[in-house]
Amino acid sequence: MKNFLFSLIALFFMSCSLDTDFDAMGIFESDEILVSSEISGIIEKLNFKEGDELKKGELVGNIDNTQLRLEIKRLESEIVVLENKKYNIDKELAPLKEQIKKANREKLRQSRLVSANSSTQKSLDDATSEFEILSKDLDAKLSSMTLFNNSLMAQIEESKTQIEILQDRIEKSLIKAPIDGVVLEKYAYEGELSNAQRAIFKIADIKIIRLKAYLIDTDLTRIKLGDEIRVFSDYGNEYKEYKGVITWISSKAEFTPKTIMSKDERKNLVYAIKVDVQNDGFLKIGSYGEIKLK
């Protein structure tokens, strides 16, 4: 019994001694992302649960987009109808062009005959007039058909634009993971109504976890960005050590957070730093960690 008590007391003093050796303490955190639907509607599918690991771009659900797809089909049918209304200008004007060719040949023939005193001027004038009338008719019909086709093309382009907008909305109805990470919380379920302001789930990359710790001013001169330091996590009866890299140092002092103890409790102002740590799966967001600079 005495040996057991002695061991407990020794462990207590060892723990206290270790605590006093730490240069700073803080809380582990990560960049957490709230994922929302980009359109409003009924949630049709959500294929994940809390704790699932997702890959960036992975499709995990969708908002019902039935009406969007039906509207695209309607617009596609409308485009077919408009395409069929367009004039085939070359085909439509081919007979008139053939008449103009004949009229032009007749005009030239009459011109030669007049020059040879084998025809009258009236015959040449009639042939010339026929050619000009047909040519003007061609120009008028060409202009009218072109305007009509251009009007149809404008309607077709408008319908195509509407289809692109609807396709974009369908794409936005798909719920995808924005990063490689773990689902921390799920806020919505299949069959519920969602909108663009409502978060569906929260995800974070916890392979690299960040310790936000606080140093007193005298320790700030001992570090720089990129320094490797020792990070410790308390697992109840023992501390586990990790390698950490300083990725951020605050340029401004702040009052010591209430949940954090500083190395020197007599100093109210501390400087925040962030230390990236490779997570072995045991480090948790919101848990405490300590660091040793050397």
Side-chain angles (χ1 to χ4, degrees):
M1 184 66 178
K2 288 182 179 180
N3 289 338
F4 178 72
L5 290 174
F6 177 78
S7 297
L8 286 178
I9 294 170
L11 182 62
F12 172 78
F13 281 108
M14 286 174 63
S15 176
C16 291
S17 175
L18 185 59
D19 285 345
T20 58
D21 289 336
F22 293 130
D23 293 301
M25 73 175 297
I27 296 176
F28 287 107
E29 58 183 35
S30 182
D31 294 329
E32 300 175 359
I33 298 176
L34 289 174
V35 181
S36 302
S37 165
E38 293 191 64
I39 67 170
S40 299
I42 300 297
I43 299 174
E44 189 172 47
K45 291 181 181 179
L46 278 183
N47 303 321
F48 65 89
K49 59 183 181 296
E50 292 178 352
D52 282 355
E53 291 189 15
L54 304 178
K55 295 294 184 182
K56 181 178 180 180
E58 181 178 349
L59 180 62
V60 296
N62 70 277
I63 304 298
D64 182 24
N65 54 35
T66 303
Q67 292 302 316
L68 299 175
R69 289 185 282 105
L70 289 175
E71 181 63 13
I72 286 177
K73 285 186 176 181
R74 186 191 70 78
L75 289 168
E76 288 174 339
S77 297
E78 185 178 280
I79 289 173
V80 172
V81 171
L82 292 172
E83 288 283 1
N84 290 334
K85 286 183 178 180
K86 286 168 56 179
Y87 285 111
N88 184 334
I89 294 178
D90 288 338
K91 183 177 180 181
E92 292 286 339
L93 296 181
L96 183 56
K97 288 180 179 180
E98 188 60 34
Q99 292 180 49
I100 291 173
K101 286 181 181 179
K102 290 180 180 179
N104 188 48
R105 287 197 296 268
E106 179 60 21
K107 184 185 72 166
L108 294 174
R109 188 178 76 86
Q110 289 296 331
S111 179
R112 289 194 298 269
L113 290 172
V114 169
S115 298
N117 294 319
S118 298
S119 182
T120 64
Q121 183 63 40
K122 183 178 182 305
S123 297
L124 175 58
D125 291 342
D126 289 343
T128 301
S129 178
E130 177 69 13
F131 173 78
E132 290 176 350
I133 290 171
L134 291 173
S135 296
K136 288 179 180 179
D137 190 24
L138 175 65
D139 291 341
K141 288 183 176 180
L142 178 60
S143 177
S144 177
M145 289 180 179
T146 301
L147 287 174
F148 184 79
N149 281 1
N150 288 344
S151 176
L152 291 179
M153 283 303 302
Q155 295 177 58
I156 290 171
E157 290 303 316
E158 175 62 24
S159 294
K160 288 181 177 179
T161 300
Q162 290 300 318
I163 288 175
E164 290 178 0
I165 292 172
L166 291 170
Q167 288 172 335
D168 179 65
R169 288 180 60 79
I170 288 176
E171 180 63 25
K172 289 179 178 178
S173 75
L174 306 179
I175 302 167
K176 299 179 180 180
I179 60 170
D180 292 344
V182 174
V183 178
L184 302 180
E185 293 184 71
K186 184 177 180 180
Y187 305 115
Y189 299 89
E190 292 179 5
E192 292 184 346
L193 178 64
S194 182
N195 55 55
Q197 286 74 41
R198 181 184 179 186
I200 294 177
F201 66 98
K202 180 163 66 176
I203 188 172
D205 181 1
I206 58 174
K207 291 180 181 178
I208 300 292
I209 198 166
R210 185 178 302 113
L211 178 67
K212 187 175 183 180
Y214 296 86
L215 292 174
I216 60 176
D217 54 359
T218 54
D219 285 334
L220 201 64
T221 58
R222 301 167 58 192
I223 62 169
K224 65 180 184 299
L225 290 175
D227 278 355
E228 285 193 2
I229 60 175
R230 301 165 67 193
V231 177
F232 296 85
S233 182
D234 185 0
Y235 292 108
N237 59 354
E238 64 175 344
Y239 280 90
K240 187 171 183 179
E241 182 176 342
Y242 298 85
K243 288 183 180 180
V245 177
I246 298 174
T247 56
W248 178 78
I249 303 173
S250 175
S251 59
K252 296 181 180 179
E254 59 185 279
F255 288 104
T256 308
K258 292 181 179 179
T259 56
I260 300 295
M261 293 183 296
S262 64
K263 181 179 179 181
D264 187 346
E265 291 301 321
R266 294 170 299 177
K267 297 194 174 185
N268 292 325
L269 295 177
V270 290
Y271 290 83
I273 66 170
K274 292 181 180 180
V275 182
D276 281 3
V277 181
Q278 189 76 36
N279 191 0
D280 59 0
F282 290 100
L283 298 176
K284 304 295 188 293
I285 296 172
S287 63
Y288 285 91
E290 292 84 10
I291 65 172
K292 286 186 179 181
L293 299 182
K294 299 296 181 181

